[in-house]
Amino acid sequence: MRKAQETKKHKSNRSRRRLLSMLLLASLAIPAQTAGWLPGKQPVAYAAATTGASAKIVSEEPITAGATLRNYVWSATRGTNAVQTNVHVIVVDLQNPNVKLDVIAGVDGQFTKKETVKGMAADTGAVAAVNGDFFATAGDGAPIGAQITGGTLESSAPFLPGIYQFAVSKNNTPIIDQFTFSGKVTAADGATFDIAGVNKAPYWFVPSGEHSHVDAIHLYTDAWGSKVRAVDRATDLLEVLVQNGVVMQKKEGALDMLAPSDGYILRTEGKGAAFIRQHVKVGDKIKAEYSLAPLDPTKQYDTAKFKTMIGGQPLLVNQGQAESIQSNAPDPGSYRSRTAVGYPLDQRYAYIITADKGGNSAGMSLPELQQFMISLGLWMGLNLDGGGSTQMVSRPLGETGATLVGTTENNYERPVVNGLGVFSTAPKGQVKGIQLSGKQQLLIGEKATYGIKAYDEYYNPVDATQTSWQWNSSNAVGTLENGTFTATAAGKTTLTAAAGLGKGTLDVQVIGRGDIASMQVQPAASSLIEGADVALKVKVTTKAGVERVLPGNLFSWEASGFQGTVTDGVLHVYSMDGAAKGAITASYDGMHAMATLPVGEKRVLADFDAKTLPVSFTGTAGVKGQVGIVSAAGAAGSVSKAVYMNYDMTGGSGTLASYIAFGDGGTGVTLEGEPRTMVMNVEGDKSLNWLRAEMIDADGKLYYVPFTDSLSWTGWRTVTADLVSQQMTYPVKLRKVYLANPPVGQDERAKRGAIKVDDIAFLYEKPLAEAPRNQVQLTIGSRTITVNGAKQTVDAAPEIVNDNTLVPLRFVIQALGGSVEWNEAERKVTVKQGDRLGELWIGNPNLNIGGTVVAAEVAPMIKNDYTMVPLRVLTQGFGWTVSWNETTRTVSLA
């Protein structure tokens, strides 16, 4: 504590203390509308009679050695309504040497610099914390009550009724009581004057309404983070700078400075200023002494050795009983978020409490909070600031920072003046607990690196990068090396990481065909064009409901209807050979999915020869470059014009970008119609930067359309970007083509380089022509079928098995204009018709129809050397229209 010893009280202090003693039950002197927890709105509800209250622990987790977070659901009946509220309790063992409580405050630990509880915890290293004392929202930003941090008195107790303090003594005993303050300055000539407060924001005495700073001397230390001391006034102001016990400056008015770490500033008014003018001059030695004392003089506390202290009001629990709550206590009857602190009779534990929104309750009333605290067995309990200020943060096991617990009242973490923090003082221990995280479902060929969160025997986080881990995989469905698993075969395994006393496990499944519910090919373009590169992805949904969009390099591919190849998941279209459409088929573990794309209509926006656009350069802050139209050698050696951009991003910071801007003044150019794909030729510089286009739609919304996240080539390449997935409102404008270099991975990308862009075009969708549909009729038990009115004889008649119509697959599919392929090794039939693909396995009721697994009531079977399949599944999957004539037992397909 700063210089703190008991002194003879000045007359004015004695009178204030007598006044305070007479007004212990009076109201708090700060107007309610300025209390820190009131966000400027009326209470949302008023308390009805509460009955049948009970609390249930729903989760409990250690925070650090000696501190545990318990989460409760508090249930009760208000009037006739059953309600639930979430309550969070941090229990701190004050006798555990590995944990301590201390008060945290503001940014850099200073008053006037309000900060969120999470921010204060991060600044101080607290493993858990809650908001603390009340404060005036429009004031200086300092607590109303006293504050001791790290054994130092940072803020004195005010001369106000109703204010209580929670403190921890030198022997780690918790205390809730009322305290008063005394202090004096002694001039070089021996004259003295009372110190009215330390680091205090202004307030008003009760009942006189006298301002706290009138005729007073207040002392401000380096804990006060503002050059303004008492924002509401500057009446007859005189300030004094003291360093190392010597008066360094004396100024009429305010000193334009903060208090130094080796001194303090005396702020004086009226009689206090007159004392300084008469008795203090620059160069004099001066002494400041101050201390806290219990308001009840019969109590003996060694306040000079208190470890910490924080203020609040009203007192809720007094010796295990509910204390009377005055009606003008801060918002007592409405259901709000609440913060409180207390301890049981044995004084071993501190209970730090917040109550917030539940399923159907906005919080608690003060009487409800009071009863909850009593149900926990608390002997003494004190309300802290609440409402919009209520915030609790706690460090999850294995993590290095504290995160928000529960829900804030306004979905906003309000900056507050101080808080009560929980700190770990434990030494480094052996690893005790390990949690693994990462993908739990992989495809064959996929790699995944698994993260580790670990904690030691004191529940403090372990640096995973500085620990040697023993890895193991229970089954040979992949290889595991230093936490990276590569899937090689379908099946399940358990990954294990171990160190010290701990072991963590994670179940991983390598997905096989039997685990897949559906596969859908997702090309990055909706049309095919000669020379274009189209990135391919596949959306896989497992039977367990897990949905993932996977890169194309995990699949085998086949192009049909055009000339094209797939390399590393990218389709390159060589030639369409006059075709109107083409199909691309993905294969995984014997299951296939197909997408059919039309040949797009290509409309050239600019080839920079016959058709050109105005171009200009722009960049993010600090990025330099040039843009122009130059002659360029094309891929085949031909010379044409293209846009050239060189760039230098070395002068920027954050996300870097260099832009080719189009149109007069870079305002962009409006595109005709509804383009589905953007395509252009790019001569790369292997910079690994992102390549994007910036567009703006008819609603004025900006879109950043990706071509690639790694410009990894040199020479010319055709790139495409899907516009359909952007869901823009047409018409749209093309504003820019640009390179972006975001912070993550920035050290791997080049900041200087040059690219060329040519033949900017857009593809417009041509609808696929409807294939003519044959009309087919089959009669149960008859080998005669009718195709478009002509009769044919088949070798196997349709029949009914278990109320399902089975038909000879090959003849029916061919009659409907499709094709059938047989795979003897897999005993599988592949069916294609139009843009549909189906797969059927003999004896397996699970059919792949259009990439979706469908369960048939009767499995495909071979009868008399012919494959018979359930007609219902095929008709539904391939979109055929089916009608049934019960009289003739005839099925009609179209």
Side-chain angles (χ1 to χ4, degrees):
M1 184 180 298
R2 297 185 190 279
K3 184 67 175 178
Q5 64 184 44
E6 194 67 31
T7 62
K8 185 177 179 181
K9 309 296 186 291
H10 189 276
K11 179 180 178 181
S12 61
N13 270 2
R14 291 200 304 270
S15 62
R16 286 171 182 159
R17 189 168 173 184
R18 285 196 301 270
L19 174 63
L20 181 57
S21 299
M22 292 185 293
L23 295 170
L24 288 178
L25 299 180
S27 65
L28 179 66
I30 301 298
Q33 64 268 25
T34 65
W37 78 327
L38 297 179
K41 68 178 184 182
Q42 294 301 312
V44 294
Y46 291 93
T50 303
T51 59
S54 64
K56 178 182 179 181
I57 296 177
V58 293
S59 65
E60 184 171 1
E61 181 177 272
I63 305 169
T64 188
T68 301
L69 172 64
R70 297 174 184 168
N71 294 307
Y72 292 78
V73 171
W74 179 84
S75 302
T77 300
R78 293 176 182 153
T80 59
N81 297 321
V83 295
Q84 290 186 328
T85 297
N86 297 324
V87 188
H88 316 282
V89 180
I90 296 172
V91 182
V92 181
D93 184 353
L94 297 175
Q95 298 304 313
N96 189 315
N98 297 309
V99 68
K100 71 172 185 177
L101 288 179
D102 206 354
V103 177
I104 53 181
V107 177
D108 298 327
Q110 291 184 307
F111 302 137
T112 75
K113 296 181 177 180
K114 292 181 286 188
E115 174 64 290
T116 65
V117 173
K118 187 190 300 179
M120 289 189 287
D123 289 345
T124 59
V127 297
V130 294
N131 60 295
D133 202 349
F134 290 85
F135 62 98
T137 56
D140 293 274
I144 290 174
Q147 177 178 316
I148 296 174
T149 296
T152 297
L153 179 62
E154 303 283 19
S155 177
S156 57
F159 295 100
L160 290 171
I163 301 295
Y164 281 77
Q165 304 288 149
F166 169 81
V168 177
S169 72
K170 65 179 181 179
N171 59 354
N172 295 321
T173 300
I175 296 164
I176 292 177
D177 209 336
Q178 292 182 293
F179 291 82
T180 188
F181 168 80
S182 63
K184 69 177 181 179
V185 292
T186 303
D189 62 2
T192 63
F193 197 95
D194 280 352
I195 298 173
V198 176
N199 292 325
K200 298 308 294 181
Y203 58 96
W204 294 264
F205 297 120
V206 176
S208 67
E210 180 184 358
H211 193 281
S212 60
H213 284 53
V214 169
D215 289 331
I217 292 179
H218 280 76
L219 186 147
Y220 292 85
T221 71
D222 61 341
W224 191 269
S226 171
K227 295 179 182 180
V228 178
R229 292 158 279 273
V231 296
D232 69 334
R233 60 193 289 110
T235 305
D236 190 26
L237 178 62
L238 183 151
E239 290 194 332
V240 177
L241 169 64
V242 179
Q243 284 182 274
N244 297 314
V246 177
V247 177
M248 305 301 293
Q249 292 186 54
K250 186 172 74 170
K251 181 183 178 182
E252 299 289 340
L255 289 167
D256 186 22
M257 62 180 297
L258 302 177
S261 60
D262 58 353
Y264 50 86
I265 290 174
L266 297 176
R267 184 198 185 282
T268 73
E269 288 186 22
K271 294 177 182 178
F275 171 83
I276 295 296
R277 293 187 187 105
Q278 180 179 354
H279 297 283
V280 176
K281 63 180 182 294
V282 173
D284 281 354
K285 288 187 176 296
I286 192 170
K287 182 188 293 186
E289 301 168 294
Y290 48 85
S291 64
L292 297 176
L295 186 62
D296 182 348
T298 66
K299 296 180 178 179
Q300 299 297 316
Y301 298 128
D302 189 0
T303 59
K305 294 183 180 179
F306 276 8
K307 293 183 175 181
T308 195
M309 177 181 280
I310 198 166
Q313 72 92 28
L315 184 67
L316 294 178
V317 181
N318 190 358
Q319 298 185 11
Q321 302 297 315
E323 182 76 356
S324 297
I325 300 174
Q326 292 74 42
S327 61
N328 54 0
D331 209 6
S334 62
Y335 306 123
R336 306 291 301 274
S337 295
R338 304 283 178 177
T339 308
V341 63
Y343 56 85
L345 178 60
D346 64 10
Q347 295 183 293
R348 175 169 178 170
Y349 299 95
Y351 284 66
I352 304 168
I353 302 165
T354 62
D356 55 39
K357 298 176 183 177
N360 60 348
S361 173
M364 282 182 165
S365 67
L366 280 184
E368 290 173 343
L369 176 61
Q370 187 177 54
Q371 291 304 314
F372 173 77
M373 296 173 76
I374 291 171
S375 74
L376 293 180
L378 298 191
W379 180 249
M380 300 293 291
L382 177 64
N383 182 64
L384 300 177
D385 193 6
S389 295
T390 291
Q391 299 156 67
M392 176 183 283
V393 298
S394 178
R395 185 183 67 186
L397 281 177
E399 296 190 11
T400 57
T403 59
L404 189 67
V405 177
T407 304
T408 56
E409 185 169 274
N410 301 307
N411 298 315
Y412 164 67
E413 295 178 57
R414 171 187 285 169
V416 295
V417 297
N418 65 3
L420 185 59
V422 180
F423 293 84
S424 174
T425 58
K428 184 177 181 180
Q430 291 192 70
V431 176
K432 178 178 182 177
I434 300 171
Q435 298 174 348
L436 299 184
S437 62
K439 295 176 182 175
Q440 291 189 260
Q441 290 194 317
L442 303 174
L443 267 66
I444 297 170
E446 189 175 5
K447 287 186 177 182
T449 298
Y450 291 85
I452 291 179
K453 290 194 300 185
Y455 54 90
D456 67 14
E457 57 195 298
Y458 300 106
Y459 301 104
N460 290 317
V462 171
D463 186 349
T465 64
Q466 300 298 315
T467 304
S468 297
W469 303 101
Q470 296 177 343
W471 287 94
N472 182 60
S473 175
S474 62
N475 289 322
V477 295
T479 60
L480 180 63
E481 184 176 357
N482 295 327
T484 297
F485 181 77
T486 303
T488 58
K492 295 181 178 180
T493 187
T494 299
L495 304 183
T496 302
L501 305 173
K503 181 174 73 172
T505 62
L506 188 70
D507 292 331
V508 173
Q509 179 184 26
V510 181
I511 298 169
R513 184 186 75 204
D515 304 310
I516 295 176
S518 68
M519 279 172 46
Q520 302 294 329
V521 177
Q522 295 185 337
S526 57
S527 304
L528 297 174
I529 185 170
E530 291 183 358
D533 289 332
V534 180
L536 300 173
K537 295 182 179 180
V538 178
K539 179 180 177 181
V540 174
T541 304
T542 69
K543 291 179 179 177
V546 177
E547 185 178 287
R548 294 181 60 197
V549 176
L550 297 156
N553 59 4
L554 295 175
F555 301 82
S556 299
W557 294 91
E558 178 186 358
S560 57
F562 66 101
Q563 295 182 21
T565 59
V566 178
T567 304
D568 292 331
V570 177
L571 168 67
H572 180 73
V573 182
Y574 288 102
S575 172
M576 295 305 303
D577 292 330
K581 62 182 180 180
I584 183 76
T585 302
S587 173
Y588 177 78
D589 197 27
M591 183 173 176
H592 296 74
M594 184 175 72
T596 302
L597 301 177
V599 176
E601 177 189 356
K602 182 177 180 179
R603 301 179 192 175
V604 176
L605 178 69
D607 60 14
F608 302 102
D609 290 305
K611 301 178 72 174
T612 190
L613 289 173
V615 294
S616 57
F617 176 84
T618 185
T620 53
V623 175
K624 300 177 182 179
Q626 293 177 315
V627 162
I629 297 176
V630 298
S631 295
S638 60
V639 177
S640 64
K641 290 183 178 180
V643 176
Y644 171 83
M645 178 178 71
N646 64 40
Y647 57 91
D648 182 349
M649 302 180 180
T650 57
S653 61
T655 297
L656 310 171
S658 57
Y659 304 92
I660 301 171
F662 299 108
D664 294 329
T667 57
V669 57
T670 301
L671 306 178
E672 59 182 349
E674 298 185 6
R676 316 298 282 174
T677 305
M678 182 176 175
V679 58
M680 62 186 182
N681 294 328
V682 177
E683 186 181 57
D685 60 358
K686 210 170 184 178
S687 64
L688 307 184
N689 289 310
W690 293 3
L691 179 64
R692 299 283 194 269
E694 181 183 296
M695 295 186 176
I696 186 169
D697 72 358
D699 295 330
K701 184 178 178 181
L702 277 174
Y703 294 83
Y704 305 102
V705 182
F707 288 97
T708 179
D709 285 348
S710 180
L711 203 158
S712 58
W713 66 90
T714 58
W716 287 95
R717 180 176 290 186
T718 302
V719 296
T720 61
D722 175 36
L723 304 183
V724 176
S725 62
Q726 302 294 324
Q727 298 183 337
M728 296 182 283
T729 303
Y730 293 100
V732 299
K733 276 187 176 183
L734 171 65
R735 296 182 62 181
K736 298 169 184 175
V737 167
Y738 65 97
L739 297 178
N741 190 346
V744 178
Q746 198 168 84
D747 57 335
E748 300 176 359
R749 305 186 193 96
K751 293 185 178 181
R752 291 192 182 97
I755 64 169
K756 294 186 182 76
V757 175
D758 197 7
D759 299 322
I760 300 174
F762 292 86
L763 304 185
Y764 294 79
E765 191 172 276
K766 287 183 177 179
L768 288 171
E770 281 286 337
R773 287 181 174 268
N774 292 340
Q775 309 292 316
V776 178
Q777 286 186 333
L778 309 96
T779 301
I780 302 301
S782 172
R783 293 170 52 201
T784 300
I785 67 172
T786 302
V787 181
N788 294 330
K791 293 184 178 181
Q792 299 180 11
T793 300
V794 296
D795 293 332
E799 58 182 281
I800 294 178
V801 176
N802 295 334
D803 294 328
N804 283 263
T805 300
L806 270 63
V807 297
L809 176 66
R810 181 177 300 274
F811 299 105
V812 171
I813 294 298
Q814 290 177 345
L816 289 165
S819 63
V820 177
E821 299 175 4
W822 169 255
N823 185 313
E824 178 63 32
E826 296 185 52
R827 292 178 65 77
K828 179 182 74 173
V829 178
T830 300
V831 179
K832 293 182 180 178
Q833 187 197 35
D835 60 351
R836 304 289 180 95
L837 177 148
E839 293 177 305
L840 306 88
W841 292 265
I842 301 302
N844 188 342
N846 294 316
L847 285 58
N848 169 24
I849 305 297
T852 299
V853 176
V854 178
E857 293 181 7
V858 177
M861 63 180 67
I862 293 178
K863 194 168 186 178
N864 299 326
D865 294 329
Y866 295 99
T867 301
M868 305 292 287
V869 297
L871 180 62
R872 182 184 303 166
V873 174
L874 285 180
T875 57
Q876 291 174 345
F878 282 82
W880 298 328
T881 301
V882 182
S883 58
W884 166 257
N885 188 316
E886 177 64 33
T887 302
T888 61
R889 295 173 64 79
T890 298
V891 179
S892 298
L893 305 175

